[in-house]
Each structure stands twice: as C-alpha cells, then as structure tokens.
Amino acid sequence: MTIMRLGNSSLSLLLPLLQSPPVALRHGCRLSALSANGGAASRRRLSTDGPAPRPVIGQDSVEVLGQSYPRDDFTNVTPKLLDKVGRNLHNQTHHPLWMIKERIKAHFYSAYVGRWGNPLFSVHDNLSPVVTVEQNFDSLLIPPDHPSRKRGDNYYLNRKTMLRAHTSAHQRELVRSGLDAFLLAGDVYRRDEIDASHYPVFHQMEGVRLFSNHELFSKVQNGEDLSLFEVGGRRTPQKQETQTLEAVKMVEFNLKHSLTRLITHLFGGDLEVRWVDCYFPFTHPSFEMEVRFQGDWMEVLGCGVMEQELLNSAGAADKVGWAFGLGLERLAMVLYGIPDIRLFWSEDQRFLEQFRVADIQQPVTFQPLSKYPPLHNDISFWLPESRESEDGRESFTENDFYELVRSVGGELVERVMLLDEFTHPKSGRRSHCYRIIYRHMERTLTQQEVQLIHKQIEQTAETELGVQGRY
C-alpha cells in the first residue's frame, strides 16, 4: 500500500457526500469501466441527433435500439429498465454526467499530446450498450463460473446477448482496431440493491494506453538494453509470466502518475491518496485508488497492468499497457454534492439549470430541491421452498425482489432494506422482511397512493417470484 499527499488546496469539494452513503464501485474489487468486444453488436454507434427507437418486449422477442433479439429462459430485462436505454445522459449537454466526462476529456486532451500536436487519446462515447456475453465476459478473461456472470446480477436479452455490465465490453474491439490510447464512456446496467447510491443504470469512463518497447524505454538510461518480454518467466504478485519486471514497473509508474494527475485536476491539490493492491481478471498487478475523506478512505477507481493474454487476442502481442475505470455518478455526486443517484434522471429544470454553466471547469454546488418527507411500508413473505431451478439457478434472489420493486414503484422508491430473515424451526421454511422507503423527488407523497403501489408489489411478488405473503 502506497500513501501520498497532493498539493495544498482544500478538500471542500469532497464534503457534500458526508450525509449520504458512498457510491460503491459495483462488485467490489472490479474495474468499473473497462471493456471488451469483437462483434458487430457493440460496434454499432448510437445516433445523438434524435430520440432512440422505443424498446419493445414482445412475447417472443425484445427490440432494443432498432434491433430484435429472440427471448429465451435467460431474458430478464423489464420495460422500465429498457426505457433508460438510449437516454445517454453522458452525452446530454450541461448534464452533470456530461460535465464530468468533458472535464476528464479536456484533461487528457491537454496533458497528452502526440508528436504532431494532436491529442494522444481518442474518445468513444456512443457505442451501443447491447453486447454479447462473450464480449462482456469471455474477452476479458472472466471465468465461466465467475459470480459476476449470474443472471441475478445482470440484464440479459437472452443467453447470448445482454446489456453491458461495464464499458470494458468494448476494449478488445478498440485495441484490435489499432488504437494505442483511448477513453471510453457509456451507460452500463447491473441488477443491484436499492438505495441513494445504487441504480440499475449508471455510467462509466475508462482509459487504456499501450506502449511499444521503444515508447516505454526510450527515456530510460540504457533503455535499448531493456525488453518488454522474457521467456521462461513466472507469474508473481508483482508481474505476469511473459512480462519483464522492468516493463511492469514502468507501466505501473506511468499509470499511477497519470491517474494522480487526473484526480488532482478534478479535486484540487490537497488530497491524500493511497494505492491498494487488488484483483481483477483482466489486469495484473491491479490496484484501487482511494482518497482520504473526512478521516476515512474512499475508493475512487480501479486500474492495473493489462493481462498480456487479452492484448495477444486483440492483435497487440508486441505491446504492454494499462487500463483504468471509474464511475461518473460517483465523481459527480462528490464534486457537485448530489445526494441521491435518482436525481441524475430527473427532468426537473430546478435540477438541470444548476449545471448550465459557461465553463465546465466552473465549481458547482448542488442546491437541494425541497426535501419531501419519506414514507415507508414493510413487506414480509415466505421464500419459495425450491431453492434452485432445474438448470441450477436459484429460484429466488434478493436482486429479483429489488428488480420487481423497481419495476412497480419506479422512481418513487428511494431505498429497500432487508430488515429480518427467519427460518421456521420445524418446517425449515425461510422468510424475509423488507422495508421499502418511498419518496418523490419533486412533491409530497400521500400514504394512500403509496399503499396502492405497495399492494401491487405484494401481489406481483406472489405471482412472479412464487413467494407467499405474511401480511
């Protein structure tokens, strides 16, 4: 673990999140914005000139962005979720996610310039979120039995096609096209818990940079004697088997230096940073950057030295490289003091107008809309007796219930908490009790309208999830 302090300015831009839960990078130690691909699905660009075609879930197929995909037993997308596809908040001018993306772009454009004066990094922010399972997992060396593949954690159109769980689903494609340095931004989709910092759609940005032997060692004394690769090497916690230790240390130094510059650009100088060793299937060694935040360490991004097997499969076997990934919502909530992730989807002009500034570098502190009171209702039910279906999938997962609540309650649901788990001492049957907190972002809810929604959640849970109510 390495700790450093940057500059002398204040941490005031980090203070707004003190009152709300930190936005966790999903699935723990996992790059939040890397990508991989090799097929036509993810190479399709999205038009930004007009609204995307409205998705349709039919009896036998799902239509998304003008393409039709056959349904099967893995299909678990919902109409409310598909309504978000094509919204592309990161490309809407003056939206806070667009501002964060543009600030990162501007930094890389100015800080990294090629020999002819052009930006070194290209930017890709309109790739379709519909990818194949192979692109989302296999191309990133994620094993077939890895828990991140679970149906309960992802949105599948069918067994072979899904909404990307990370922008890394395009990484191999872009490397294969000959790019050595690029930034990639887009919307990603994961089934998850419900609270102020989790949402089934969020946005990621990642960066990749590759180096040839000359590029990496040209400024090193006696660099002509150094090499990227070695024969007969072995894998250690510090390096991969085919890469030399000298190459890995140079890539690691360049990566950490680049990200330190980026975070300093975004947050200012007076920032204590530490690097924590981590594990990702597609980088080694791997790290997470954390910043000191009011006495605690807060995770900001994941990164690492790219697995050489991934580069080999993308036609870049003669190069080594690094990759990083970060969540745009997380940075925006911290930098602008946005307390609830649902606000990013608001069309309330009182929210949007706050970010209509002449200069994207201009500091903005979100001024809360009127804080309307929350209402909460509890729901208890017995879980289905059969814990697994015929193909080995669990018949009930918490994410199934969270997704159902989102589908029925939509933006009115602020948080869902598991209050209690109970196992009957004689029958062995298990029950869950959840508290659902409702709050409208723009007006006061009545208990009468909440009870109507809550009753629908109870009825839908029984019919769709096979639970038995304990009301």
Side-chain angles (χ1 to χ4, degrees), residues 103-114 117-121 183 209 219 254 257-263 265 322:
R103 288 187 65 184
I104 295 173
K105 280 174 54 178
H107 168 73
F108 275 89
Y109 276 178
S110 63
Y112 304 94
V113 180
N118 296 321
L120 182 66
F121 283 79
L183 300 174
R209 187 173 185 185
K219 297 182 180 180
N254 186 279
H257 177 69
S258 300
L259 292 178
T260 298
R261 292 178 69 184
L262 171 62
I263 296 301
H265 169 73
W322 55 246

Side-chain angles (χ1 to χ4, degrees), residues 211-220 223 226-228 244 246-252 254 320:
F211 301 89
S212 65
N213 204 95
H214 174 73
E215 290 169 328
L216 193 62
F217 295 123
S218 61
K219 297 182 180 180
V220 177
L226 301 176
S227 175
L228 299 179
T244 64
E246 294 84 1
V248 171
K249 289 302 180 183
M250 286 290 293
V251 172
E252 179 183 331
N254 186 279
V320 296

Side-chain angles (χ1 to χ4, degrees), residues 231-271:
V231 178
R234 64 187 184 89
R235 193 179 188 90
T236 70
Q238 289 75 39
K239 63 179 287 294
Q240 299 172 38
E241 50 268 44
T242 60
Q243 299 172 348
T244 64
L245 184 60
E246 294 84 1
V248 171
K249 289 302 180 183
M250 286 290 293
V251 172
E252 179 183 331
F253 175 82
N254 186 279
L255 167 65
K256 292 180 177 179
H257 177 69
S258 300
L259 292 178
T260 298
R261 292 178 69 184
L262 171 62
I263 296 301
T264 303
H265 169 73
L266 293 175
F267 290 103
D270 189 16
L271 197 63

